[in-house]
Amino acid sequence: MELAHRMTALTGDGSDGWDVFYKARALKKQGHPIIELTIGEHDIHTHVDILAAMGRSARGGHTGYAAVPGTEGLRTAISRRIEQQSGVPTTQDNILITPGGQSALFAAHMAVLNPGDIALYCDPYYATYPGTIRGTGALDRAIRCDPAYDFQPQATDLEVAAQGARSLLVNSPNNPTGVVYDRATWKGIAQTCIAHDLWLISDEVYDTQVWHGAHISPRSLHGMQERTLVIGSMSKSHAMTGSRIGWICGPAVVIEHLTNFATHTTYGVPGFIQDAAQFALSQGQALEDEVAAPFRRRRRIALDLIAQQNLLRAVPCSGAMYLMLDIRATGLSGEAFAHALLDAHQIAVMPGESFGQAAAGHIRVAMTVADDRFINALTDLLSFAAEFDENKRRF
Ligand code: PMP
């Protein structure tokens, strides 16, 4: 029996650069002491007070079907937070609660794409982006972002790619690069969207992890409110990855249709999870800062270590829980470097090639292990890289 093309086309063909990740997982299972600097999972658990709120809600009876678009309390809390941060008037009618940011990404693309439409996204990209687009029956088209411009999409490239397209997916703070888009980049994005009548899907799941500069939500830019769908999540901001809770913020009429879509797909999100999320948000920025603090600290530690050598260059990592390192001076591909590092030092990092073509010759380091282990791993990684330093080898 043949499966639908929509399903079989979700993942691409051939090596996708995730081999090193699976190899590390297999070695770890066999008992090898692997240090995993691979995926974006905190080394802390969800705060006990959030868990207590979840338990209170469940024991209090909030275990039946919850309202499909989300509880009024949570939708209102999220709309207030967005209004405060972006200055854009926002109410609960602009918010749909989803089981995590990933399902929000899929639903948002379903809302704006017809089968065969062209949907844009930026390379390097978060691993699921092309499959998320293909799952809707649309055609995925990557915009290659150059490391010379710190992987920020350039207006001229956007302009070329936008011909005939219907949507553009962007992500700042960015996974995998850690780059936070600057005002000039946003201006180019907004201009392209308006000129080509594109929907903008703005993945802002790392909005609480900004180390340098400020997070700008493109929904706040002139002419963008009616064409932007913002993707949010409690996963990264509150270490609630396993609770699967996120949202879409957009025009009320789109949210109405998306609620209809949710009725036919997820049928909503558990009420006790929503109540826990509402409690978490009521703790304000203090809790968000607490969850983000280890990454802020480790980024500083990493930049100090990297400054002591000049072979590897750190891409300006202004946000998110990752460091992107340019390893081209070693003469190795990201994939070859990551495999060799795993074999030699039991340290697992992601090859840039896992995130598309633009980040070839780079590696992504997730800052997701305790400080002392992180320092040791990074020190080993840098001295491992130095073995490939052509200039030093000559002496
Ligand atoms: N977008 C980006 C850029 C991500 O890195 C992730 C998770 N790693 C997601 C969306 C999805 O997050 P979740 O479904 O856990 O909210």
Side-chain angles (χ1 to χ4, degrees), residues 100-102 105 126 129 171 175 203 205-206 233 235-236 241 244-245 322:
Q102 179 55 45
L105 279 166
Y126 171 52
Y129 281 4
N171 170 224
N175 177 10
D203 180 345
V205 303
Y206 292 99
S233 171
S235 285
K236 312 294 175 175
T241 49
R244 310 309 305 131
I245 182 146
Y322 314 100

